Amino acid sequence: MRRFELMMWAILVASICGLPAIAQETSRPQVVNYIPPKIISPCGARAFGMNDLRQEREGWVNLRFTVKKDGTVVDPEVISAFGGKNYGAAALEWLANCKVEPAKQDGVAIDQVDFVRSFFFSIDDMEKGGSPRVRTQMREFGELIDAKQFDAASAALDKAEKDCRTLYEIAHLMWSRAVLQARRGNHETARLYLNQTGHLKTYMEPSDQSRLDRMKLRMEMLSLHVVAAGLTADQIPDLGQREGDDELKEVLAKLKAASAEEPIWDVEGQIPRDCPEYVCGRVPTWEYKPLHRTISLDGIAGNLSLVEIVCQSKKAKMEPKPNVTWTIPASWQSCSIRVTGEPGARFTLVDEKAPSYTNPP
């Protein structure tokens, strides 16, 4: 796997409490027809956060909550927010007045744990393009990035952030910060900025959306996040029609083939550092979609506080101990792994095929 990882780097850089042990269910989950929760009714007047909007600053809030199979919303929390100081409370109040249709699996309502939804605060009559001041700052950033003056480029973005007022400007700010992190070699942090920018795609031009998607795909492949990269590629309708796409598709195909052949797939993880709360949230978290159903941690350097297995209707929490193996039951369907801890803490997530057992003759 390491040899393949080095090849990946060469190609992509050139193109720019205890659920231990082996559980009984070790097979791959069956494919099911899954429909996520949906907000289905008006949620009351959106007069929340108006003081912030009067200051002509648009923004967003990312909420995480559980939707029970009867449509009840429980445990809502603000993950991250940008724009107005009252936007988080406003989004929570707005959600409390909503009626939500539960998730369905094969036509049957199910609980959906840790569902994430973005809420946007926008001003109808605000000019959607970039202001001359912000455009000048972004041009300055581009020139500094090209000159590899990364500290000065970061300072230019800090200035632009203070002047950004529209979601259009903010989306391009997030994208630029992702570019800066990528150029500095912080691909995981770049990925987080790109994930947030993805929520803002509708406020960007179609050509910029296309470039954003391709950069996200590159970062996921560089980080060896095979499942996430495959999902991103599936969401790019014109993949293969632009310059550089053939190379991206070739690398993705090789990545999928190598991960399918390897019984053990090692992924280097790091708790995000130097990442603002509006992107990484109040609790910085590393997240990964596993290839297989059995995982463990190795090579822990720094303090980790929690490992969570988060699936469609189930969630489990474990103490982050090295060389303790957890196997995710197939009935839990699609899952993600979340690791929290001290910013900068490093580790290796071991993603492996569960051993198969046969009865003796």
Side-chain angles (χ1 to χ4, degrees), residues 298-304 342 344-348:
D298 193 14
I300 298 175
N303 296 320
L304 301 180
E342 179 184 41
R346 295 178 176 271
F347 54 91
T348 299

Side-chain angles (χ1 to χ4, degrees), residues 8 18 23 46 51-52 68 70 83 87 93 105-106 108 112 137 189 215 239 248 277 290 307 330 334 341 346 352 358:
M8 283 284 302
R46 297 189 63 181
N51 288 335
D52 295 309
K68 308 295 286 185
D70 62 357
Y87 286 172
E93 188 174 350
Q105 183 172 298
D106 292 333
V108 178
Q112 170 71 66
Q137 291 164 335
T189 305
M215 182 179 176
L239 186 62
L248 285 176
E277 187 176 303
V307 176
S334 175
R346 295 178 176 271
E352 59 185 308
T358 56

Side-chain angles (χ1 to χ4, degrees), residues 311-359:
C311 308
Q312 290 172 0
S313 58
K314 301 283 187 179
K315 182 166 71 171
K317 298 181 179 181
M318 287 83 64
E319 187 177 350
K321 293 183 177 180
N323 302 317
V324 176
T325 299
W326 304 283
T327 292
I328 307 169
S331 60
W332 288 21
Q333 296 298 323
S334 175
C335 301
S336 294
I337 310 301
R338 294 205 301 244
V339 184
T340 57
E342 179 184 41
R346 295 178 176 271
F347 54 91
T348 299
L349 186 136
V350 182
D351 182 352
E352 59 185 308
K353 297 178 181 178
S356 58
Y357 299 97
T358 56
N359 295 325

Side-chain angles (χ1 to χ4, degrees), residues 129-140 169:
S131 68
R133 184 182 182 88
V134 172
R135 287 199 298 268
T136 298
Q137 291 164 335
M138 299 305 286
R139 281 196 298 269
E140 178 187 356
E169 293 173 336

Side-chain angles (χ1 to χ4, degrees), residues 39-77:
I39 294 177
I40 58 175
S41 70
C43 303
R46 297 189 63 181
F48 311 120
M50 288 300 106
N51 288 335
D52 295 309
L53 285 180
R54 288 193 189 102
Q55 297 175 14
E56 298 187 342
R57 176 92 174 199
E58 297 184 330
W60 79 79
V61 176
N62 292 328
L63 295 183
R64 181 164 58 208
F65 49 93
T66 292
V67 180
K68 308 295 286 185
K69 60 185 177 183
D70 62 357
T72 304
V73 173
V74 299
D75 301 327
E77 62 175 332

Side-chain angles (χ1 to χ4, degrees), residues 166-217:
T166 69
L167 287 166
Y168 175 89
E169 293 173 336
I170 295 166
H172 285 80
L173 172 73
M174 296 296 107
W175 186 10
S176 298
R177 289 203 180 276
V179 170
L180 176 61
Q181 292 294 330
R183 293 291 294 271
R184 281 178 156 167
N186 300 327
H187 302 113
E188 286 292 341
T189 305
R191 215 165 49 82
L192 293 173
Y193 275 107
L194 291 169
N195 286 341
Q196 181 56 60
T197 312
H199 297 312
L200 300 164
K201 280 173 57 176
T202 55
Y203 299 94
M204 304 174 72
E205 298 295 333
S207 59
D208 288 338
Q209 294 178 22
S210 178
R211 293 166 58 201
L212 174 73
D213 289 338
R214 285 161 171 80
M215 182 179 176
K216 185 170 182 278
L217 176 57

Side-chain angles (χ1 to χ4, degrees), residues 8-260:
M8 283 284 302
W9 274 82
I11 294 177
L12 285 170
V13 169
S15 69
I16 230 239
C17 319
L19 260 199
I22 302 292
Q24 291 183 352
E25 297 176 302
T26 59
S27 60
R28 299 290 296 177
Q30 295 181 347
V31 176
V32 297
N33 181 19
Y34 167 75
I35 301 175
K38 181 181 179 181
I39 294 177
I40 58 175
S41 70
C43 303
R46 297 189 63 181
F48 311 120
M50 288 300 106
N51 288 335
D52 295 309
L53 285 180
R54 288 193 189 102
Q55 297 175 14
E56 298 187 342
R57 176 92 174 199
E58 297 184 330
W60 79 79
V61 176
N62 292 328
L63 295 183
R64 181 164 58 208
F65 49 93
T66 292
V67 180
K68 308 295 286 185
K69 60 185 177 183
D70 62 357
T72 304
V73 173
V74 299
D75 301 327
E77 62 175 332
V78 175
I79 306 174
S80 58
F82 185 94
K85 63 181 181 180
N86 297 321
Y87 286 172
L92 287 170
E93 188 174 350
W94 190 77
L95 178 64
N97 290 283
C98 291
K99 184 177 180 181
V100 182
E101 187 175 284
K104 291 184 179 180
Q105 183 172 298
D106 292 333
V108 178
I110 61 170
D111 293 344
Q112 170 71 66
V113 301
D114 285 9
F115 184 64
V116 176
R117 174 73 183 268
S118 296
F119 295 80
F120 299 99
F121 292 80
S122 61
I123 304 172
D124 291 340
D125 58 353
M126 178 173 278
E127 176 63 40
K128 298 307 178 184
S131 68
R133 184 182 182 88
V134 172
R135 287 199 298 268
T136 298
Q137 291 164 335
M138 299 305 286
R139 281 196 298 269
E140 178 187 356
F141 163 77
E143 293 169 358
L144 292 168
I145 275 287
D146 289 342
K148 299 183 179 180
Q149 298 180 30
F150 299 147
D151 289 342
S154 180
L157 291 182
D158 290 342
K159 293 178 183 178
E161 183 171 323
K162 294 178 181 178
D163 293 327
C164 284
R165 291 292 178 267
T166 69
L167 287 166
Y168 175 89
E169 293 173 336
I170 295 166
H172 285 80
L173 172 73
M174 296 296 107
W175 186 10
S176 298
R177 289 203 180 276
V179 170
L180 176 61
Q181 292 294 330
R183 293 291 294 271
R184 281 178 156 167
N186 300 327
H187 302 113
E188 286 292 341
T189 305
R191 215 165 49 82
L192 293 173
Y193 275 107
L194 291 169
N195 286 341
Q196 181 56 60
T197 312
H199 297 312
L200 300 164
K201 280 173 57 176
T202 55
Y203 299 94
M204 304 174 72
E205 298 295 333
S207 59
D208 288 338
Q209 294 178 22
S210 178
R211 293 166 58 201
L212 174 73
D213 289 338
R214 285 161 171 80
M215 182 179 176
K216 185 170 182 278
L217 176 57
R218 288 191 186 96
M219 294 301 103
E220 288 167 343
M221 291 193 295
L222 275 171
S223 301
L224 300 184
H225 288 229
V226 183
V227 175
L231 292 172
T232 297
D234 290 342
Q235 295 169 2
I236 304 177
D238 61 343
L239 186 62
Q241 300 177 24
R242 294 177 179 269
E243 184 179 356
D245 281 2
D246 289 344
E247 200 167 39
L248 285 176
K249 293 175 66 176
E250 178 185 359
V251 172
L252 180 59
K254 290 180 178 179
L255 182 62
K256 288 181 175 180
S259 62

